[in-house]
Structures are given as C-alpha cells and as structure tokens.
Amino acid sequence: MAMALPSSLFSFAARVIGLRQTNGTRWLHGAKGTLFSVRGAGETALQSDQQLSNFEDEDLSTPDIEVDDTLEHKDFFGVRKLCTPSLLFQHKVHFGHKATSLDPRMRQFVYGIRSNHVIFDLDISNFHLQEALNIAAHVALRDGIILFVARLPHCANLIEQTAKDCGEYAHVRQWKMGCLTDISKYQKMECRLPDLVILPSTVSEFGSEHPVVAEAAKLNIPTIGIVDSNCNPNMITYPVPGNDDTLTTIQLYCSLFKEAILRGKAERANRLKLLEEELSKDQETRLSKLKSMSLKLNK
Amino acid sequence: MENCMLRDDKFMDHGFMKREPKNTLAREHFENGKMNSISLLLRSNLRFSSIHNKSVVAYSSQAAKENVTIKKKKPISRAMRAYIDRVKQFEENLIVESKEYSDGKRFLANIMGEDPAHFTPKDVDKSVEYLLPSGLFQKLARPEMAPPEETIEKAKFDINGRPFHFLFYTGASHLYETQFETVKRINRAEKLLEQIHRKGHTPEKENKMDLVTSEWQDISEMEKTINESIRDDHFEQTMQALERLAQHPMSGHFKDFLMNYRKATTVNMTEMVFPEIQQDPDGRYSVQHTTKRKTAVATVTIRSPGEGKFVINGQPGLLYFSDVGAREHVLFPYQVTGLMEKVDTEVTVEGGGFNGQSGAIRYATSLCLAALVDEQGRVKLQLAGLLRRDPRVKERKKFGKAGARRGYTWLKR
C-alpha cells in the first residue's frame, strides 16, 4: 500500500501509523481495556483476563494503585510540552553523521544534507522524543524498572548520575553477552528484568549496534533509543532520530528523561498516599463496626 | 547562515524529502513564510536555555485528577510471587539458622565447661578446632561454625523485586560505584582548579593531599572495603582513576573519600616498644640496645648529652669501616634526627660482613635515638624506614647450581 502512494505522502503521518503497529506499541495503543503492563510487576499483554484470574491469590494480594485512567489522557504528565524543535535545535540534535554513512532506514527522518553531513528533521525528532518521554513517565508511574544503557565514555558519569538521581538503573560499562537474556546465571540469582531500556546512544564501543538492543528485543523489553544517521532504527521500539555523541545533546536527553521519570514517580507517590488514606479509613470503619457489634453482644 | 538548512536540490528530485511542519508553532512560522521560520531557528545569538527554566504547564489535568480511582489490585504475576516467596523464605531461614547457631554455641560452651553467656565467636572457633581436629591443609575445608549473618548472602532486592543498587545490572555494582564516585570528584576538582586559575592564582601546596603518610590498599584489602570480589583488570582501572584524583592539585578537598581506599604507612607509635632510658652516675642519660642484621649482631650504647664521640669495637670514629657506603649507613639516623654532634656512641659489633654490621648498627642506633627524641622525631625516623628490622638474609645455595640461582657454565658435549 505504501509503495503505491506517491513518495511525498510517505511522510510523517504514514510513519506514525506504521510505528503504532509495531509489537512494542500494539498493546499500549491497541484495543481499549488492554492493561498497560510492566514486566515482573504486572502482567504481559499476552495474558488474557482468564489467565490473570488463575494467578489470583488472596494471601499474596497487596493493595495497589489503579492507573488505567492515565492512558485515556494524551499527555497526562505534560512531558510533551517539555521539548520543542527549537530546544532540540539549540542542543544540536539535528546534526547527523557524514552522508556517506547514512543508513537507508534512517532516510525517513532526514531533512537534508549540508556540507556532506546529514541534518535531521527536528519536527519528526521532536514528535518521537515526546512519545518516548511519555512512555518513560508511564513506565515510572507503574513502578517499572528503567535501565539506562550506553557506551559513551565521555558521558558515562552523566548518565550514571541521571539514573541515580531518578532512582533508576544504569549500565554504561562493558556489556557482557547475556547480561539480560541469561540474567539468572550472570547475577547468580533470579532477579527482575528491566521494564524499559533507554539508550542515549545505540552504538557500542566498536561502532556496531549495542548488544542490549538485540537482547531487549529477544525478551520483548521495550527500548527507547536515540538513533543517529548511521544506526538501524528497526530493532528499537521507540526510536528517536537525533545526534547521539555531542555532550550538550546527551545532557538534554538525560535531563528530559529524568524530568519525565520523576513526574511519573511523583504521580505514583501521590496516588499511593491517597490509597493509604483510603485504606486507613476502611480500617477505621471496620473497627467501629466491630466495636458496636461487641457492645451489642455484651448487652 | 540562512541557507545552511535549505535542502539540497538532489534530494528534492528524489522526492523523499518533502515535509510539512506538524508542530503548531512551526506551522505558524511556515504560514508566515518559510525563510522567516528558518531564520528564527538559526538566529546565531540563541541562548542555550536549560529546560528546567522553562515554565511548565501543570502536568496532570484537573479532569484526570478527579478520576483517580483506587482499587485493591489482586492478581500478582508469577515472577512477583517468586520474589515475595524468596524474601519470606530468606527471613524464615535466618530466624531458624540463628536459633540453631545460638543453641549450638550453648552446647559447645557446656562441653568445654565454660559460661555460655560469655562464649564469644572466637571461643567457638577454638573449641571447634579442639573437638574436631582436622589434618586438611586447606583452611576452607576444615569444619567451622559461623553465625548465619556471615554465611547467608543478603537480599539485593526489595519486596517489589527492585534492586537496591543503581548499578546492579552491571554485575560489579560496588566497584563501578567507586569508579563513578571517583570520576565525579575529579570533575569537581577540575572545577575548583578552574576557579583558582580564573582569579589568576596558582593552587597552593596545601590543596594537595599528603600522599607520604599513606599508601593504596591492595586488591584483597579493597575487596574487603567495598565488600565485593574484584577482577584484576577492574582493580587496575579503579586504581588509575583514584591515582588521578590523588595526584590532582586540589586533591586535599577529597581526602576523606580517598582515605577510604588508602592505609596509613605509619604504624601506631603507642604500640611500638623502645629501649629504656637509664641515668648514669655522672648525670647523663644512656640507652642501650642490641639488634641483628643478616648474621651480624650489634650492641649500641648512646649517651646524651655528648660531643659526637664515636667508638666501634674500640676504634675511634668511623675508621672501623673501610667502605664508604657502610660509613654513610651508620651516620644516617643521626642525620635524620639532627643529633649528629649532640650524643656519644659506643658500639660492639660481631659476625657478618661490613654491610650486615653497618645495617645492624643503623637499626640499633635508630631505636636508641627514637627513645631519646620526641614524637615528631620518631615519625621522621619511621618515614625514613629506620624503625623496621630488615628481614632479608642470604639465600641458601642449591645443589646443581653454582649459587642460589646461578647455573654452572654450559659446556657443549
């Protein structure tokens, strides 16, 4: 279908529709009533409601917050207002690599070529970045584990600091194969996998694709990745076309994602507080009922 | 300047570059005129605004907030249940194990005929060694009894399965945290230095940390400090970073941090035993001490105050030694303490060669002088390495060799 359309129509909107149909996004934007799920903490989208009921266990049930209402809102956390094309331009997001290294799969995000360097279309980048920020905030709201992965020696400290500041996790060191796919062997214990991987740069130290991209794809972990003009965006759930090695650019990404995650967490804390209040109220009423009953019995 | 964002005609021809601004702001500019919008974007005097300074619209709309529903969520995933089970099991295990340990300890104390209330873990080790003697060479293979807190690994996650450490997924969290903290401090030190340079000053010597009185921990000590096993290459990386911070002109600001990974070179002086000072009938103080070096034995008597008289085996001055190096050896402690012509010395030395004899005299003299000087003088002596017995001795000759290591000359058959 897309082939039959004139190339000018193979544009932004068409790509957005295409993106929405990828595996990672289907269960988020898909049929109403589907839970936005967080691996480990919640359920995978593949599990139907019937399967869910099998897991019910009265003893293990813990009160948790209800967050489904947030999905109906287009920009619940207001993170889309955080970034604008002009902001991205100030932080040099539009600079790509040399035109000779342009990956054909990145052509859709390119505005043009100047001095033999690729220039990204910042309207497109901005849209994808907004989408990514929204997802990050939603995952944070659902208590998902967010892992920052990159192989940028000059930004390693910054990325680790960002992860620490927003109470999430970072891996900017040498990546061992099977760090996620074989985690029980690697960590010598069973442990929870991350629910979202954020890649400020998808390039590994050898110039090839970072191995975490393949590992996360195998495990169906959604990824947010800044893809430069020489990268492959196809394996990444939420690709954001943009410059991936300038310090100011990485600083921008880090501060934006930090803000989004902190907003998600603040909302979570808010709702947990409300839940606690409600639970204590419930208990009070139950206690008062018990009291009245015992009084009646004594009489 | 304005042309730099214009598309190449080449791409126009190919047709994959047509675009329309989707953003409303950009569209407004688009309607006003494309060139205008581009020039707006490309204004050279743009200020790099921090995103935090931007006014941000309240993020959850009122309508959405009113809809907040709170429910008790029942279903729990398999993975989640596994975590909760494990945490519960761990806690139960710990209670059982600690009870077993305290019972066993009491039992041991009764067998050994001691008071169970004052039976320490050290006593437990002793009694286990006594009751279950083992001829196994490896200490790890011998029977032992330890409290469960030491043997059982602590949980690394909370009840939701979230790891405690922010670098958990790297597999060497504490080591990488050390590197992370070090690099953070290096960056801060650079900023401090820049401030000083900007004022036109140079950093004072006091800003640099004193690296003489302490040295770096080795790999096994570092493992204990961060409570994690370290690979050799990781240790080298970390040491490089730490060394860079320590050598920085502003390293004095991060002394507390660096001292976590360093150990003091000076032993606690209060623990050291020095020879006793005696008072002679003529009113002078005298110290006598006997030490060894290689096979030489030297007895040194120092009298204070004196005129710098020096007698070795009845020979005045340093004429006893024909070797200049040996003479310098003997005089070194006096140079360090500055007592060269303020005390009288009498030496009896026997055995060994001139090197061993001079070494033995040096060690004995240093100890005697340390007894006479104050704390500061002792530190000087210690830093010069004079208050330590040199344990090196001649290596024995091996059969099949000309000496300890040297082979016989190879003859062609």
Side-chain angles (χ1 to χ4, degrees), chain A residues 2-20:
Chain A
M3 293 296 286
L5 287 168
S7 54
S8 61
L9 279 180
F10 184 64
S11 65
F12 183 60
R15 276 193 313 276
V16 171
I17 295 160
L19 181 72
R20 287 191 174 211

Side-chain angles (χ1 to χ4, degrees), chain A residues 12 40 42 55 60 62 64 76-77 89-90 110-111 113-114 121 168-170 173 191-192 263 275, chain B residues 4-5 11 17 19 22 41-42 48 56 59 70-71 73 76-77 81 83 160 162-163 166 169 179:
Chain A
F12 183 60
F55 289 134
L60 287 173
T62 47
D64 202 352
F76 185 79
F77 303 97
F89 179 75
Q90 284 164 27
V110 173
Y111 183 87
I113 285 171
R114 176 83 193 170
D121 190 334
E168 293 301 339
Y169 304 87
R173 312 290 178 161
C191 42
R192 199 174 140 187
R263 284 184 182 193
L275 173 74
Chain B
C4 80
M5 279 281 276
F11 279 91
M17 288 309 308
R19 89 186 174 116
K22 295 293 163 192
L41 280 170
L42 284 174
F48 281 56
V56 170
Y59 54 87
I70 294 157
K71 285 181 191 170
K73 192 176 152 195
I76 282 183
S77 76
R81 190 187 298 188
Y83 302 130
N160 292 326
R162 284 181 78 90
F166 77 108
Y169 290 99
Q179 291 183 9

Side-chain angles (χ1 to χ4, degrees), chain B residues 170-212:
Chain B
T170 55
S173 41
H174 288 100
L175 182 94
Y176 283 138
E177 194 195 3
T178 306
Q179 291 183 9
F180 164 70
E181 292 291 338
T182 313
V183 174
K184 218 165 91 179
R185 279 167 176 80
I186 291 172
N187 292 342
R188 220 182 294 157
E190 286 291 339
K191 270 183 193 167
L192 285 172
L193 189 64
E194 203 186 309
Q195 279 177 12
I196 288 177
H197 281 320
R198 209 174 278 168
K199 282 177 192 166
H201 304 305
T202 45
E204 287 169 25
K205 270 190 180 176
E206 292 157 13
N207 283 328
K208 199 176 175 187
M209 190 187 158
D210 177 25
L211 296 172
V212 181

Side-chain angles (χ1 to χ4, degrees), chain A residues 105-286:
Chain A
R105 289 164 289 204
M106 289 300 292
R107 276 192 160 199
Q108 48 182 328
F109 306 121
V110 173
Y111 183 87
I113 285 171
R114 176 83 193 170
S115 312
N116 207 20
H117 278 266
V118 176
I119 303 293
F120 286 112
D121 190 334
L122 286 183
D123 282 337
I124 301 174
S125 293
N126 187 42
F127 170 80
H128 287 283
L129 188 53
Q130 286 176 347
E131 199 82 335
L133 289 173
N134 194 30
I135 292 301
H138 272 291
V139 172
L141 171 63
R142 285 152 181 84
D143 201 22
I145 291 179
I146 298 169
L147 180 65
F148 286 84
V149 184
R151 207 73 179 93
L152 297 166
H154 59 293
C155 301
N157 203 259
L158 170 70
I159 294 163
E160 281 181 335
Q161 186 62 51
T162 308
K164 199 181 180 186
D165 287 348
C166 53
E168 293 301 339
Y169 304 87
H171 191 323
V172 292
R173 312 290 178 161
Q174 186 188 12
W175 185 271
K176 290 238 180 156
M177 289 299 171
C179 205
L180 291 183
T181 47
D182 203 6
I183 193 162
S184 58
K185 190 184 162 193
Y186 188 71
Q187 300 284 359
K188 288 169 195 151
M189 65 184 90
E190 283 226 358
C191 42
R192 199 174 140 187
L193 283 164
D195 303 299
L196 177 70
V197 176
I198 299 179
L199 293 138
S201 160
T202 59
V203 182
S204 79
E205 67 266 41
F206 308 112
S208 53
E209 192 178 56
H210 198 292
V212 75
V213 177
E215 288 196 20
K218 280 177 193 168
L219 292 163
N220 205 11
I221 296 171
T223 44
I224 294 172
I226 311 296
V227 278
D228 212 324
S229 62
N230 58 349
C231 302
N232 173 12
N234 288 8
M235 293 283 274
I236 291 156
T237 328
Y238 300 98
V240 180
N243 182 359
D244 72 349
D245 32 30
T246 311
L247 185 61
T248 50
T249 322
I250 304 291
Q251 273 170 348
L252 172 74
Y253 298 142
C254 282
S255 53
L256 283 175
F257 280 113
K258 184 176 153 190
E259 183 65 26
I261 291 165
L262 287 178
R263 284 184 182 193
K265 289 200 161 181
E267 184 63 26
R268 181 177 178 79
N270 206 0
R271 289 182 176 220
L272 277 173
K273 204 177 153 193
L274 284 174
L275 173 74
E276 246 172 52
E277 279 170 16
E278 199 146 301
L279 283 177
S280 60
K281 266 184 207 167
D282 274 6
Q283 210 156 8
E284 271 174 28
T285 50
R286 210 182 298 153

Side-chain angles (χ1 to χ4, degrees), chain A residues 40-61:
Chain A
E43 297 74 37
T44 59
L46 298 169
Q47 291 163 354
S48 68
D49 286 21
Q50 269 192 339
Q51 277 173 311
L52 285 178
S53 60
N54 294 341
F55 289 134
E56 278 188 30
D57 191 335
E58 285 297 322
D59 295 336
L60 287 173
S61 67

Side-chain angles (χ1 to χ4, degrees), chain A residues 88-104:
Chain A
L88 299 188
F89 179 75
Q90 284 164 27
H91 288 85
K92 301 173 188 174
V93 176
H94 57 290
F95 284 125
H97 284 284
K98 283 209 167 167
T100 43
S101 68
L102 175 64
D103 192 307

